Amino acid sequence: MNGSKCDIRRRRKWRPWRWWLVASWVLAVFLQRGGAAEVTELDLEERRDERRDLLVLRDTLRSALDLHSNWTGPPCHGERSRWRGVSCDGDGRVVRVALDGAQLTGTLPRGALRAVSRLEALSLRGNALHGALPGLDGLPRLRAVDLSSNRFSGPIPRQYATSLRDLARLELQDNLLSGTLPAFEQHGLVVFNVSYNFLQGEVPGTAALRRFPASAFDHNLRLCGEVVNAECLEGPTTSSGAPAYGSSGSSPVVVRPPAGDGGRAARKHARFRLAAWSVVAIALIAALVPFAAVFIFLHHRKKSQEVRLGGRASAAVTAAEDIKDKVEVEQGRGSGSRSTESGKGGELQFFREDGQASFDLDELFRSTAEMLGKGRLGITYRVTLQAGPVVVVKRLRNMSHVPRRDFTHTMQLLGKLRHENVVDLVACFYSKEEKLVVYEHVPGCSLFQLLHGNRGEGRTPLPWPARLSIAQGMARGLAYLHKSMPYFHRPPHGNLKSSNVLVFFSAAANGGQQKQAVPKLTDHGFHPLLPHHAHRLAAAKCPEFARRGGRRLSSRADVYCLGLVLLELVTGKVPVEEDGDLAEWARLALSHEWSTDILDVEIVGDRGRHGDMLRLTEVALLCAAVDPDRRPKVQDAVRMIDEIADGDGSELDRR
């Protein structure tokens, strides 16, 4: 009994302490939660600053990779990034920027990428960047820097040696850098190269720099010291403390000569000493050489593209110059008859009765041809006939296995097609080794060129009304193909992509000043001729193509390709496989608050039409559904796009 009373008194004695412990625990949890909220807000602020600095880099530089179109929206989606050359970590933060050989031009901002605080690697190798090197302040995690093969000038920033404590790789070779080398002391530095610059003075004898061979410092102005096996002679110094090289008193750098031969080696070195004016001349010549090379290349390219389709002007001009020889061999094997009905005997088979059908094979080969491009189906030429008309000739490749009957039958089907949004087939030619297709000439360029060509300064953007008109015309042309081609010819187009949509601008129907964009589909109808090479066509991008092991596709494959081109119209992005699934990225964008970030920067300023742009995006995503059965018929896609153009999205809203 007494023991029980003692226990009760003991519990009563410790009860206040227990309350104090509980209150302390609650207070700690509250403070921890408050701190977590503060960290989250700080993290969001850092992400905004990170994106801002990347966009400053994008807007400052010019590139052939069209960064203005690709670097939109958030840079990271978890560990993945759709931004070209950008890599992210598990927290969704940028850790690597690599734009090697991206044809970047311009000057890097002074505080470039300062807010990308987790950056670990920066590589801009092989571009045409000029001006001072970036300071790289505020990047304590940076381990690899490659700015080689550019045109950077000025000194190497001292903070490279003092602030980048984890630096393991530094490549600055092949630039126009001057001044002296900082004293790099990073213990983890394993790759270092400053060769082919205009550096001078003594190379600091730090343990970090002693690890590298003399080749890492070769071909500079006047580097000396034990690291490069060259003595530094005392002489007049400049205000910066570096020797005043170029004076007539003495030579500042002397390579150690063999014993007994020092005088002769010193005199030989003195004879080849560079004066200050020669250094300037070398720098100017080095700056002009790339521009001269580009000019010569462009001139040679333009000259090489103009050839005679069957001529022998030059053995290295183009791969098309042997067409005529192969055709003549085929003609010699035949009976020599000439028939435009059957195509036998090496004769063109025509499908039109207008002026463009008034030429023969010899005239085609005698005419001047300009190579327009090379694709997976073959090489395309623009041919100016001697009589005046212009046609487009496609020299098909990898079709030697196609029988004459199948080729002729397919061409006859395509030759009957007549629609304002489909390129007309004028004629064709068949032989065992050569197969040619002659199209009407469309005076314009491809949709791919309109969307992605020459992005940056001086570019004329493609406005939203023209894009919507192109979307309408593409869908109508595709619907015509689906209606006109026989059932066994599936998919009717099979190769729909932006480079196979030709666009020309005609006078507006209402007499307005703004011209109407008219698209025409081309490269259609070849799928049945390529049963074993279907992977060369755009339809092979459909998810069902991989699931079915490349077996026969349905008409819904064309609808999928239409969806990708529509997304390309809205976002301005190229749907390349290495950047991931464009359709999936757009779906993710529409499910978040940053949906308008997917819009092309060239049309995002037209705020009054954002609704139409997002509605067309929804149509595109319906067409690009993974399940073919969930994709609309092409006629339904035409109707939905027409409703958007007419300002009525009622059916789309119901979906």
Side-chain angles (χ1 to χ4, degrees):
M1 185 71 178
N2 293 335
S4 300
K5 291 182 180 179
C6 292
D7 291 340
I8 293 173
R9 286 195 298 270
R10 188 179 297 111
R11 286 197 297 270
R12 288 177 180 175
K13 181 177 180 181
W14 286 100
R15 188 172 298 166
W17 289 99
R18 293 177 179 176
W19 282 108
W20 181 84
L21 290 174
V22 171
S24 301
W25 179 80
V26 171
L27 180 62
V29 170
F30 175 79
L31 292 175
Q32 183 178 8
R33 290 184 177 180
E38 182 178 357
V39 170
T40 302
E41 181 64 29
L42 177 62
D43 184 63
L44 291 175
E45 184 67 26
E46 290 179 349
R47 291 173 189 266
R48 285 193 290 265
D49 294 342
E50 179 180 86
R51 183 175 184 272
R52 180 202 63 212
D53 272 20
L54 289 169
L55 293 182
V56 169
L57 182 68
R58 177 200 72 179
D59 297 337
T60 303
L61 304 179
R62 295 180 295 277
S63 170
L65 291 183
D66 186 20
L67 295 182
H68 283 77
S69 172
N70 184 258
W71 282 23
T72 58
C76 298
H77 304 290
E79 296 181 357
R80 294 180 56 190
S81 175
R82 279 196 56 85
W83 288 25
R84 190 184 302 274
V86 173
S87 302
C88 305
D89 61 9
D91 296 331
R93 300 293 297 276
V94 175
V95 295
R96 184 172 184 265
V97 176
L99 295 171
D100 298 342
Q103 301 181 37
L104 297 173
T105 60
T107 304
L108 290 177
R110 180 178 296 274
L113 304 177
R114 181 177 298 174
V116 190
S117 56
R118 296 195 187 185
L119 189 66
E120 298 177 2
L122 174 63
S123 182
L124 302 175
R125 172 195 292 265
N127 289 289
L129 300 174
H130 61 275
L133 289 171
L136 303 181
D137 299 325
L139 301 175
R141 301 189 183 188
L142 197 57
R143 293 177 49 83
V145 178
D146 188 347
L147 303 176
S148 61
S149 300
N150 280 281
R151 311 215 55 78
F152 289 113
S153 58
I156 299 175
R158 298 292 169 182
Q159 52 265 36
Y160 284 20
T162 58
S163 301
L164 305 180
R165 306 306 303 171
D166 294 333
L167 189 64
R169 184 186 191 98
L170 180 63
E171 296 189 65
L172 302 176
Q173 68 269 22
D174 196 14
N175 278 288
L176 302 174
L177 301 177
S178 59
T180 58
L181 268 176
F184 290 91
E185 297 179 350
Q186 290 91 331
H187 299 292
L189 193 62
V190 294
V191 177
F192 182 85
N193 197 334
V194 293
S195 60
Y196 291 92
N197 281 288
F198 293 91
L199 300 172
Q200 59 184 357
E202 183 177 3
V203 177
T206 61
L209 294 181
R210 287 175 181 270
R211 293 196 292 265
F212 302 105
S215 59
F217 309 89
D218 276 351
H219 301 281
N220 273 285
L221 190 57
R222 289 189 178 95
L223 287 178
C224 62
E226 185 178 352
V227 176
V228 294
N229 195 32
E231 293 183 356
C232 298
L233 299 182
E234 295 183 0
T237 58
T238 63
S239 58
S240 62
Y245 300 128
S247 62
S248 58
S250 62
S251 177
V253 180
V254 179
V255 180
R256 293 194 184 102
D261 200 27
R264 184 175 61 183
R267 289 192 299 270
K268 182 177 180 181
H269 180 79
R271 284 199 302 268
F272 290 97
R273 185 173 55 198
L274 293 175
W277 64 268
S278 61
V279 175
V280 176
I282 291 175
L284 291 176
I285 293 173
L288 291 175
V289 165
F291 295 100
V294 171
F295 176 78
I296 294 173
F297 170 75
L298 294 176
H299 178 73
H300 175 72
R301 181 182 179 184
K302 179 176 179 60
K303 182 178 180 181
S304 65
Q305 287 180 334
E306 293 186 357
V307 299
R308 296 195 182 279
L309 199 60
R312 290 183 173 276
S314 172
V317 169
T318 177
E321 62 184 3
D322 61 337
I323 298 179
K324 186 176 181 180
D325 294 334
K326 292 182 179 180
V327 171
E328 289 175 348
V329 171
E330 292 294 325
Q331 289 177 336
R333 294 174 182 171
S335 62
S337 62
R338 301 168 65 88
S339 171
T340 59
E341 297 298 327
S342 65
K344 295 180 181 180
E347 192 67 36
L348 286 171
Q349 182 179 1
F350 289 95
F351 306 105
R352 291 174 55 160
E353 299 298 334
D354 55 13
Q356 287 194 347
S358 60
F359 61 92
D360 56 19
L361 196 62
D362 290 336
E363 181 180 355
L364 185 67
F365 289 138
R366 288 196 306 268
S367 303
T368 301
E370 177 185 357
M371 187 175 69
L372 298 178
K374 296 181 181 180
R376 294 190 172 187
L377 287 179
I379 307 175
T380 305
Y381 303 89
R382 178 168 51 221
V383 180
T384 304
L385 300 172
Q386 294 179 348
V390 179
V391 295
V392 173
V393 179
K394 178 176 286 290
R395 182 194 185 190
L396 302 175
R397 66 174 185 173
N398 296 331
M399 285 198 182
S400 58
H401 63 282
V402 178
R404 178 189 297 273
R405 179 180 177 180
D406 294 348
F407 181 84
T408 303
H409 178 65
T410 300
M411 293 300 107
Q412 287 174 347
L413 287 175
L414 299 178
K416 295 177 181 178
L417 301 176
R418 295 291 183 271
H419 191 271
E420 62 177 347
N421 298 119
V422 178
V423 176
D424 289 348
L425 184 66
V426 177
C428 71
F429 170 82
Y430 178 93
S431 72
K432 183 177 180 180
E433 296 187 11
E434 289 296 337
K435 294 164 185 65
L436 307 178
V437 180
V438 183
Y439 292 103
E440 67 166 324
H441 175 250
V442 178
C445 60
S446 70
L447 177 60
F448 183 90
Q449 292 173 306
L450 286 175
L451 289 175
H452 312 297
N454 192 27
R455 284 267 180 164
E457 295 182 3
R459 167 177 160 83
T460 302
L462 187 64
W464 170 249
R467 300 185 189 217
L468 187 56
S469 177
I470 292 172
Q472 283 184 284
M474 281 195 309
R476 291 172 181 173
L478 189 61
Y480 171 77
L481 291 178
H482 281 226
K483 178 181 178 182
S484 303
M485 300 297 287
Y487 179 77
F488 61 83
H489 198 109
R490 292 290 183 264
H493 194 295
N495 200 25
L496 181 58
K497 53 186 177 180
S498 60
S499 57
N500 287 338
V501 179
L502 305 180
V503 182
F504 71 95
F505 292 87
S506 63
N510 56 5
Q513 294 183 351
Q514 188 173 9
K515 293 185 177 182
Q516 183 78 14
V518 180
K520 280 181 171 285
L521 307 184
T522 187
D523 268 14
H524 49 280
F526 289 101
H527 185 268
L529 299 178
L530 299 167
H532 304 295
H533 299 275
H535 61 277
R536 292 159 49 193
L537 302 176
K541 295 181 179 180
C542 298
E544 62 267 26
F545 183 82
R547 292 199 304 266
R548 297 175 182 176
R551 287 183 292 177
R552 191 174 184 86
L553 296 170
S554 69
S555 298
R556 299 296 175 96
D558 277 346
V559 179
Y560 181 88
C561 295
L562 174 65
L564 292 185
V565 180
L566 292 178
L567 284 176
E568 200 171 343
L569 272 172
V570 176
T571 65
K573 297 182 181 296
V574 181
V576 291
E577 295 178 359
E578 54 266 27
D579 284 347
D581 189 346
L582 178 60
E584 185 61 30
W585 175 79
R587 288 189 184 95
L588 178 66
L590 290 180
S591 64
H592 290 72
E593 296 181 356
W594 50 274
S595 58
T596 55
D597 281 357
I598 71 171
L599 302 179
D600 191 349
V601 293
E602 295 185 345
I603 59 174
V604 72
D606 195 354
R607 299 182 180 275
R609 295 173 177 172
H610 279 186
D612 290 345
M613 298 174 191
L614 295 179
R615 280 191 288 272
L616 186 61
T617 305
E618 293 176 2
V619 175
L621 293 178
L622 288 174
C623 295
V626 175
D627 186 357
D629 295 332
R630 296 180 64 87
R631 299 169 196 160
K633 295 182 179 179
V634 66
Q635 293 85 355
D636 296 331
V638 171
R639 184 164 54 253
M640 288 186 284
I641 296 174
D642 287 344
E643 288 172 355
I644 295 174
D646 295 338
D648 179 15
S650 56
E651 179 175 342
L652 192 60
D653 294 337
R654 287 196 300 271
R655 287 176 175 265

